């Protein structure tokens, strides 16, 4: 059974919402007042990272508290075994009322539909922004309206019908702001008369990095489609002006989708206030990963580079979390499941690989807290984005990356292989990750220490290094 002080839980997750598109994280391109309220009334995590920057694998890690080589969802095409232990299912077994509404993206069918939920209604695959099809245990239906509003409506309706004498765990999983971006009518003209500044690395030429960076097919100036841009680029623009036109088109629609999320987060917070639930409910806001907002000239995610790796994480729970607090400790998405179970007084299975964030939420950092984050991207050279398979580690100061560039025969990967490469970034001297120092003699000692740490992480987490790695140390 749950602890007598177990909180209610609302876990709100967007899709591809970069932390640097939230104003309480310092965004200079938009305002998110309701998300900022969560930061003001709770804790903002400044170094929260995903373990695989792609939708389905990240969602599987969040639900199960395990890395993808354990939960089996390594790519978008490896379906989720929904019978494996998850934090909603364990909470349900302990007396919680549980529900999920919105994006699932872990497969559909008896073995893959949500389990451990009293109620669920999900989008098929990515789903549609307008008048989406929704799936539940009874079948499929078309719901009129805009997906972000609909998901919130379903969530609030469920809260109205719940048993007020039992704790609840509600997952509100938005489609937005996933590509292709379709704003709602209310925000369709937002930023229409503004020029959004380009990020400082927008014109990155990848000259001091791996071939993997050059090969990726995610460039704003080249790889966005007319569907993404809602039309063709005007004729007679020079290359730089055409690239900026594309950037303005996509970033404004992206931010318009974010604005709808922010409004709907406000609806949830208002509901909790109006029903006297704010003090006893933990509200969590995050995204399944980060996103390139023109950083390095890219859109999308997948790489271990910062804007893709970093996740927003805002947590409000007045009973334990000091208002207006921040946390700089290294945290990862596999920590979420153990955190929720810890707060509920429910033991976490031994297979879970994260750590409860509860001491951090109280403002305490355990002396043995991690100083390294491990990452692995498996979906090698997929047809749409062309990002090569890699793994690596991030510490407070450094990032080491090995591009083993091999699909390993996994679903959704290419059978093409490329020469392995190493990258090393000194984040203190090069926060924009523009200069690979792996081969510099003055970083030789750092390189060897980090290579040993990479091996330690893989051994600890029971992941296997690529067999070619030991032959490609230089």
């Amino acid at each position: 059974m749950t602890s007598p002080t177990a909180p209610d839980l609302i876990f709100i997750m967007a899709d591809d919402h970069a932390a640097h598109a939230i104003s309480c994280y310092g965004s200079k391109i938009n305002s998110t007042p309701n998300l900022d309220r969560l930061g003001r009334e709770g804790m903002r995590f400044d170094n929260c990272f995903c373990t695989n920057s792609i939708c389905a694998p990240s969602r599987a890690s969040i639900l199960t508290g395990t890395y993808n080589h354990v939960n089996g969802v390594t790519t978008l095409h490896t379906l989720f075994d929904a019978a494996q232990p998850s934090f909603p299912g364990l909470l349900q077994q302990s007396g919680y009322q549980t529900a999920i509404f919105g994006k699932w993206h872990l497969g559909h069918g008896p073995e893959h539909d949500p389990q451990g939920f009293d109620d669920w209604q999900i989008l098929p695959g990515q789903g549609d922004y307008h008048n989406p099809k929704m799936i539940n245990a009874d079948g499929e239906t078309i719901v009129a309206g805009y997906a972000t509003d609909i998901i919130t409506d379903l969530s609030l309706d469920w809260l109205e019908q719940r048993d007020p004498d039992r704790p609840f765990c509600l997952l509100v999983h938005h489609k937005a702001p996933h590509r292709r971006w379709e704003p709602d009518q209310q925000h369709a003209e937002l930023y229409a008369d503004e020029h959004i500044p380009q990020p400082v690395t927008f014109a990155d030429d990848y000259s001091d990095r791996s071939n993997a960076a050059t090969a990726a097919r995610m460039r704003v100036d080249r790889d966005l489609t007319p569907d993404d841009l809602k039309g063709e680029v005007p004729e007679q623009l020079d290359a730089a002006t055409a690239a900026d036109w594309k950037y303005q088109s996509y970033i404004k629609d992206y931010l318009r989708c974010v604005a709808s999320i922010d409004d709907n987060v406000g609806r949830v917070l208002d509901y909790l206030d109006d029903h006297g639930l704010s003090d006893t409910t933990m509200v969590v806001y995050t995204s399944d990963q980060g996103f390139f907002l023109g950083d390095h000239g890219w859109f999308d995610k997948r790489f271990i580079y910062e804007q893709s790796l970093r996740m927003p994480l805002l947590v409000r729970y007045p009973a334990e979390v000091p208002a207006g607090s921040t946390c700089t400790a290294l945290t990862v998405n596999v920590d979420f499941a153990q955190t929720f179970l810890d707060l509920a007084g429910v033991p976490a299975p031994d297979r879970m690989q994260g750590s409860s964030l509860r001491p951090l939420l109280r403002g305490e950092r355990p002396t043995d807290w991690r100083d390294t984050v491990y990452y692995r991207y498996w979906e090698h050279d997929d047809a749409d984005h062309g990002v090569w398979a890699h793994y690596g580690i991030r510490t407070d100061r450094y990032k080491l990356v090995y591009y083993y560039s091999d699909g390993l025969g996994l679903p959704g990967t290419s059978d093409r292989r490329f020469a392995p490469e190493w990258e090393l970034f000194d984040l203190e001297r090069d926060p924009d990750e523009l200069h690979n120092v792996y081969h510099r003699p003055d970083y030789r000692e750092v390189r060897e220490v980090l290579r040993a740490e990479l091996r330690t992480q893989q051994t600890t987490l029971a992941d296997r290094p690529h067999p070619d790695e030991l032959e490609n140390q230089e």
Side-chain angles (χ1 to χ4, degrees), residues 381-439:
D381 190 37
D382 80 295
D384 293 327
H385 305 90
V387 176
W388 298 351
H390 57 285
Y391 51 68
I393 56 172
R394 188 202 190 278
T395 68
D396 281 331
R397 177 166 178 176
Y398 297 106
K399 185 178 292 179
L400 178 71
V401 191
Y402 180 63
Y403 293 93
Y404 60 92
S405 304
D406 179 1
L408 302 173
L410 291 170
T413 65
S414 165
D415 59 5
R416 300 193 303 171
R417 294 187 62 180
F418 306 97
E421 301 174 278
W422 287 95
E423 286 186 328
L424 172 60
F425 297 105
D426 185 336
L427 301 176
E428 183 178 288
R429 297 179 178 178
D430 178 29
D432 293 324
E433 298 173 296
L434 296 174
H435 305 291
N436 177 16
V437 298
Y438 184 84
H439 298 288

Side-chain angles (χ1 to χ4, degrees), residues 103 105 123-130 132-133 147 175 179:
K103 183 169 178 179
H105 204 228
L123 298 164
Q126 295 290 354
D128 295 321
Y129 275 104
H130 292 90
K133 178 188 294 184
K175 168 186 172 60
R179 181 189 182 203

Side-chain angles (χ1 to χ4, degrees), residues 189-471:
E189 298 302 318
L190 187 65
Y191 305 111
D193 298 324
E194 298 183 37
H195 184 271
I196 306 296
Q198 297 175 358
V200 295
T201 61
F202 186 74
D204 189 354
D205 63 4
Y206 322 113
S207 60
D208 194 11
R209 300 224 291 297
S210 66
N211 290 320
T214 305
R217 297 186 292 275
M218 307 188 305
R219 285 176 49 170
V220 172
D221 64 351
R222 183 189 64 196
D223 299 316
L224 286 169
T225 70
D227 286 340
D228 293 318
L229 302 171
K230 311 299 189 298
E232 298 286 347
V233 181
E235 297 180 358
Q236 299 179 334
L237 297 181
D238 61 41
T241 306
D244 185 65
W245 187 93
K246 293 179 181 179
Y247 175 69
Q248 297 301 318
S249 177
Y250 117 74
I251 196 64
K252 289 179 181 180
D253 276 347
Y254 177 95
L255 295 176
R256 290 161 181 156
C257 292
V258 168
S260 179
I261 289 179
D262 188 74
D263 287 351
N264 278 279
V265 168
R267 291 177 61 201
V268 173
L269 298 181
D270 289 345
Y271 179 93
L272 297 178
D273 286 345
D274 294 343
H275 291 78
L277 296 170
S278 295
D279 289 341
T280 58
T281 303
M282 170 176 277
V283 181
V284 178
Y285 183 85
T286 190
S287 175
D288 48 0
Q289 62 262 322
F291 203 74
F292 294 112
L293 305 180
D295 313 281
H296 300 290
W298 290 325
F299 60 93
D300 211 73
K301 57 267 184 179
R302 299 170 186 262
F303 275 108
I304 195 174
Y305 292 120
E306 286 292 286
Q307 295 84 4
S308 168
L309 179 69
R310 186 181 301 276
M311 304 167 65
L313 180 60
L314 301 168
V315 182
R316 188 188 75 176
Y317 180 41
E320 292 198 20
V321 181
S325 54
T326 59
C327 178
T328 60
L330 300 178
T331 57
V332 287
N333 59 358
V334 293
D335 295 333
F336 296 178
Q338 287 182 238
T339 303
F340 302 147
L341 295 175
D342 185 6
L343 284 155
V346 177
D350 290 340
R351 80 192 297 263
M352 288 190 173
Q353 297 174 290
S355 299
S356 172
L357 301 175
R358 194 172 189 181
L360 300 180
L361 290 166
R362 292 169 167 169
E364 307 161 0
R365 185 183 301 200
T367 56
D368 60 349
W369 192 259
R370 74 168 62 86
D371 53 18
T372 303
V373 168
Y374 178 66
Y375 177 91
R376 184 163 187 172
Y377 174 76
W378 302 75
E379 193 160 308
H380 170 65
D381 190 37
D382 80 295
D384 293 327
H385 305 90
V387 176
W388 298 351
H390 57 285
Y391 51 68
I393 56 172
R394 188 202 190 278
T395 68
D396 281 331
R397 177 166 178 176
Y398 297 106
K399 185 178 292 179
L400 178 71
V401 191
Y402 180 63
Y403 293 93
Y404 60 92
S405 304
D406 179 1
L408 302 173
L410 291 170
T413 65
S414 165
D415 59 5
R416 300 193 303 171
R417 294 187 62 180
F418 306 97
E421 301 174 278
W422 287 95
E423 286 186 328
L424 172 60
F425 297 105
D426 185 336
L427 301 176
E428 183 178 288
R429 297 179 178 178
D430 178 29
D432 293 324
E433 298 173 296
L434 296 174
H435 305 291
N436 177 16
V437 298
Y438 184 84
H439 298 288
R440 280 179 40 175
D442 52 331
Y443 281 88
R444 182 178 181 85
E445 183 176 348
V446 170
R447 181 179 78 192
E448 297 310 310
V449 169
L450 291 174
R451 280 180 55 85
E453 176 63 13
L454 173 61
R455 186 64 64 248
T456 296
Q457 289 293 315
Q458 290 179 318
T459 299
T460 300
L461 298 170
D463 194 14
R464 295 181 179 180
H466 191 274
D468 291 348
E469 183 194 325
L470 296 178
E471 301 176 8

